Amino acid sequence: MQKRKCVSVVQLRKLLTAAICSIAFMALVSVHVQHVIPSSNDHKFNDKIATTRDLQRWTRELAPPHLSKVLFPPPKSNVSRGVSRGISDYEKLWKPPSNRGFLPCTKPTPNYTAPAESRGFLLVHTNGGLNQMRAGICDMVAVARIINATLVVPELDKRSFWQDTSNFSDVFDEEHFVHSLANDVKIIKKLPQELVNATRIVKHFISWSGMDYYENEIGTLWEEYQVIRAAKSDSRLANNNLPANIQKLRCRACYEALRFSPRIEQMGKLLVERMRSFGPYIALHLRYEKDMLAFSGCTHDLSQDEAEELRIIRENTSYWKIKEIDPIEQRLKGFCPLTPKEVGIFLTALGYPSKTPIYIASGEIYGGESHMAELRSRYPLLMSKEKLASIEELEPFSNHASQMAALDYIVSIESDVFIPSYYGNMARAVEGHRRFLGRGRSILPDRKALVRLFDKLAQGTMTEGKSLSNKIIDLHRRRLGSPRKRKGPISGTKGMDRFRSEEAFYSNPLPDCLCRTQLPHPNTTSHIVR
């Protein structure tokens, strides 16, 4: 009897073992099939790009060789160790900074009223590139509210370096812009016909002006004129010390009303989906374009012929006021964009593996492949809108710098990590928007400190490795885009330099448009502290 029992138990164990093995085998086959068969959408763009279909491959190369001497185990063995290392890699490289309880809060206060009766019409000529114009448009919405004006849909800059002929509706969703701000400011698409030839005053609003200037100096112009034309729009409104409702209106204008046009939004989302097919990605705003280098006077690692070409461009561009620039001094002060080579060293030191997908958010890189070769040798998976989309798909946006920049803006906002090589208008705009949304890491390179380290590498007094990596990681622990209060002026600065030294409103809309939540008490709901 006891012998029969033993036989039954043994048979039962065999059956259970066989069943478990069958289930495991079917699961393995199922996963393998899913990886091997791409979706129909993949064929539309992956024919152009050599890549594997393993979307989690980024977890397998955890760090450059000098950061980890232990090779990552193959996926079939030591699985638990691989998972833990993958989690560690995510924490170190990709995990978004904590929002520390801050959430968007753009609704006006209870005493906010509908727009007052219009006293006249405000025409706006924006200036600069896409992001400079974006900030200017949002400021002019607030100015129109302050001076009780009807805002005419702003005119985009067609005379700047890029010579872009785009109209407002080509870049932005005009209908949404007009209607979403209806409770704040009256906006019309065109000046009424009877006022087209009316006498108007053209004003250069004083930079970083506050309520007194607009209410008293500009507001009194309505006594003589029905139309005021703002000759420029950039930096015409103070960053700080404005009423809460004006600051919140700026955020509603920037982050809710000023959407891109539907066709730009659609193409931008398509580019994001295509980047996501490679796994988590970095959006690198590589500001190494001809206009930037000519304007800043930065010539590090350029040939004499290239430096002279840039000097001539700067000399012949009338609205760039500073002509004589010392490139060595500029670089040592941290005023120059990182070169593509320096960006490669920086990313390696931070620990990003060579298989990291990187989206290059920029126009044409100065010098082309000759200046990109060293970055590409470290990070072969460099993508751009031109690589992710076909010529036919990009054709409607080509030859329009603002529309192409808008595509880069969307991919940058949606990236897992955003890194600008220079802290210019796009870097500030994307950083602020991501901060507002609580979206991923935004790593802002400390260029002044990095230049000294890069020079030591060039001089041979330091080598790439663990020591350099630790220094660069330590430098950037507090530069990941986490919520913090906007910085005021630098101590000791006066006049316009004082305003210029402040952190820009749109690069950090806290505390005006981000409010801290409180942990809920038992039986109560959480609420926002305004």
Side-chain angles (χ1 to χ4, degrees):
M1 186 75 174
Q2 192 171 354
K3 189 174 180 181
R4 285 181 185 175
K5 268 188 185 177
C6 290
V7 171
S8 299
V9 169
V10 170
Q11 289 176 340
L12 183 59
R13 283 178 179 170
K14 286 182 178 179
L15 284 170
L16 286 171
T17 302
I20 291 169
C21 289
S22 298
I23 292 170
F25 177 78
M26 291 302 293
L28 185 61
V29 170
S30 173
V31 171
H32 179 71
V33 169
Q34 286 176 12
H35 279 292
V36 170
I37 302 175
S39 69
S40 59
N41 289 335
D42 293 337
H43 290 294
K44 293 179 183 176
F45 63 98
N46 280 335
D47 291 342
K48 298 173 59 181
I49 304 165
T51 179
T52 66
R53 298 307 309 146
D54 184 351
L55 303 187
Q56 295 303 316
R57 190 161 181 173
W58 61 276
T59 62
R60 296 191 188 161
E61 185 185 46
L62 297 179
H66 71 269
L67 293 182
S68 177
K69 294 181 181 179
V70 182
L71 293 176
F72 192 73
K76 289 185 180 179
S77 63
N78 211 350
V79 174
S80 61
R81 184 182 172 195
V83 170
S84 65
R85 292 289 297 276
I87 293 171
S88 172
D89 188 51
Y90 171 77
E91 295 272 342
K92 184 177 70 172
L93 302 177
W94 303 102
K95 185 179 180 182
S98 169
N99 68 4
R100 296 171 50 210
F102 285 99
L103 293 174
C105 54
T106 61
K107 289 184 179 179
T109 59
N111 62 348
Y112 192 72
T113 61
E117 183 179 351
S118 175
R119 300 184 64 191
F121 297 87
L122 176 62
L123 297 175
V124 176
H125 179 267
T126 61
N127 60 294
L130 172 70
N131 296 289
Q132 198 171 344
M133 291 191 291
R134 268 181 69 96
I137 290 166
C138 299
D139 280 354
M140 290 301 109
V141 168
V143 168
R145 170 85 187 190
I146 295 169
I147 63 175
N148 295 331
T150 294
L151 177 66
V152 180
V153 167
E155 176 189 348
L156 301 190
D157 191 345
K158 296 179 174 63
R159 295 175 294 179
S160 65
F161 183 89
W162 302 275
Q163 299 292 301
D164 189 345
T165 59
S166 298
N167 294 315
F168 188 96
S169 59
D170 296 322
V171 180
F172 302 109
D173 188 334
E174 189 174 66
E175 295 296 330
H176 179 76
F177 178 71
V178 172
H179 294 300
S180 65
L181 293 170
N183 292 328
D184 304 292
V185 177
K186 184 178 180 182
I187 304 176
I188 59 175
K189 295 181 181 180
K190 292 182 179 179
L191 195 66
Q193 188 62 37
E194 64 271 19
L195 292 176
V196 169
N197 296 318
T199 303
R200 65 187 66 172
I201 184 169
V202 178
K203 288 288 291 184
H204 286 261
F205 296 157
I206 297 174
S207 299
W208 298 295
S209 294
M211 296 292 289
D212 286 346
Y213 170 79
Y214 284 108
E215 287 179 333
N216 300 326
E217 187 168 334
I218 301 303
T220 56
L221 295 175
W222 295 132
E223 297 170 9
E224 298 181 51
Y225 303 96
Q226 289 180 282
V227 180
I228 297 173
R229 180 179 175 85
K232 288 189 174 184
S233 62
D234 64 318
S235 304
R236 303 296 138 171
L237 193 58
N239 293 308
N240 304 302
N241 302 316
L242 294 174
N245 279 325
I246 292 298
Q247 299 289 58
K248 289 179 184 296
L249 173 55
R250 295 168 90 176
C251 287
R252 289 198 298 280
C254 190
Y255 305 128
E256 298 170 18
L258 201 58
R259 291 180 185 170
F260 291 119
S261 67
R263 65 194 185 97
I264 289 177
E265 289 275 354
Q266 184 179 6
M267 189 67 221
K269 289 176 181 176
L270 188 60
L271 293 175
V272 171
E273 288 173 7
R274 293 175 180 181
M275 274 308 297
R276 287 245 174 269
S277 73
F278 299 101
Y281 71 91
I282 293 172
L284 172 63
H285 182 43
L286 191 56
R287 197 69 169 94
Y288 205 72
E289 298 136 315
K290 184 181 288 187
D291 66 297
M292 179 69 233
L293 297 175
F295 173 77
S296 63
C298 297
T299 60
H300 182 69
D301 275 353
L302 297 181
S303 68
Q304 286 187 346
D305 288 344
E306 289 172 327
E308 178 62 14
E309 179 188 21
L310 296 174
R311 187 197 66 77
I312 293 171
I313 291 171
R314 184 170 64 256
E315 187 68 33
N316 294 336
T317 305
S318 60
Y319 46 84
W320 291 349
K321 302 303 179 185
I322 302 175
K323 303 298 182 182
E324 297 298 323
I325 298 175
D326 183 339
I328 297 175
E329 183 181 353
Q330 281 283 94
R331 183 169 174 270
L332 289 175
K333 287 181 177 179
F335 295 161
C336 287
L338 299 181
T339 67
K341 175 183 176 180
E342 291 169 340
V343 169
I345 297 171
F346 177 64
L347 292 176
T348 302
L350 288 178
Y352 287 97
S354 63
K355 293 175 185 177
T356 301
I358 299 175
Y359 179 86
I360 303 296
S362 71
E364 184 179 353
I365 300 300
Y366 186 59
E369 189 57 33
S370 65
H371 290 307
M372 290 293 289
E374 292 203 45
L375 175 59
R376 192 178 300 282
S377 69
R378 289 175 184 263
Y379 294 95
L381 200 55
L382 296 181
M383 295 291 112
S384 63
K385 49 191 174 294
E386 290 82 6
K387 286 189 176 182
L388 292 169
S390 66
I391 294 174
E392 292 76 21
E393 287 174 316
L394 286 181
E395 194 276 331
F397 314 101
S398 299
N399 301 318
H400 297 287
S402 293
Q403 297 181 47
M404 294 289 269
L407 297 175
D408 286 340
Y409 186 94
I410 292 171
V411 182
S412 297
I413 290 294
E414 296 296 329
S415 65
D416 299 276
V417 175
F418 172 68
I419 301 177
S421 66
Y422 180 79
Y423 198 56
N425 291 311
M426 178 166 174
R428 283 192 285 267
V430 172
E431 179 199 11
H433 203 156
R434 285 168 65 85
R435 215 177 229 133
F436 178 79
L437 296 172
R439 188 74 51 84
R441 292 188 180 194
S442 297
I443 305 175
L444 305 179
D446 185 341
R447 297 189 308 281
K448 186 175 180 180
L450 287 172
V451 160
R452 283 157 174 74
L453 294 175
F454 295 151
D455 285 348
K456 287 182 180 180
L457 288 177
Q459 294 158 8
T461 57
M462 178 180 278
T463 58
E464 286 192 65
K466 191 171 183 180
S467 176
L468 176 66
S469 179
N470 288 340
K471 287 180 185 294
I472 288 179
I473 289 171
D474 286 342
L475 277 172
H476 295 87
R477 289 192 192 280
R478 296 181 178 273
R479 301 174 72 92
L480 302 179
S482 58
R484 58 167 176 76
K485 187 177 180 181
R486 189 168 57 253
K487 294 177 183 177
I490 295 174
S491 178
T493 54
K494 297 180 180 179
M496 285 298 171
D497 286 339
R498 182 173 176 79
F499 294 115
R500 195 173 284 111
S501 71
E502 293 177 335
E503 188 172 18
F505 178 83
Y506 296 106
S507 67
N508 187 2
L510 193 159
D512 313 277
C513 304
L514 287 168
C515 305
R516 176 164 273 167
T517 57
Q518 288 184 340
L519 292 175
H521 296 289
N523 302 319
T524 63
T525 56
S526 64
H527 62 282
I528 293 178
V529 181
R530 297 193 180 276

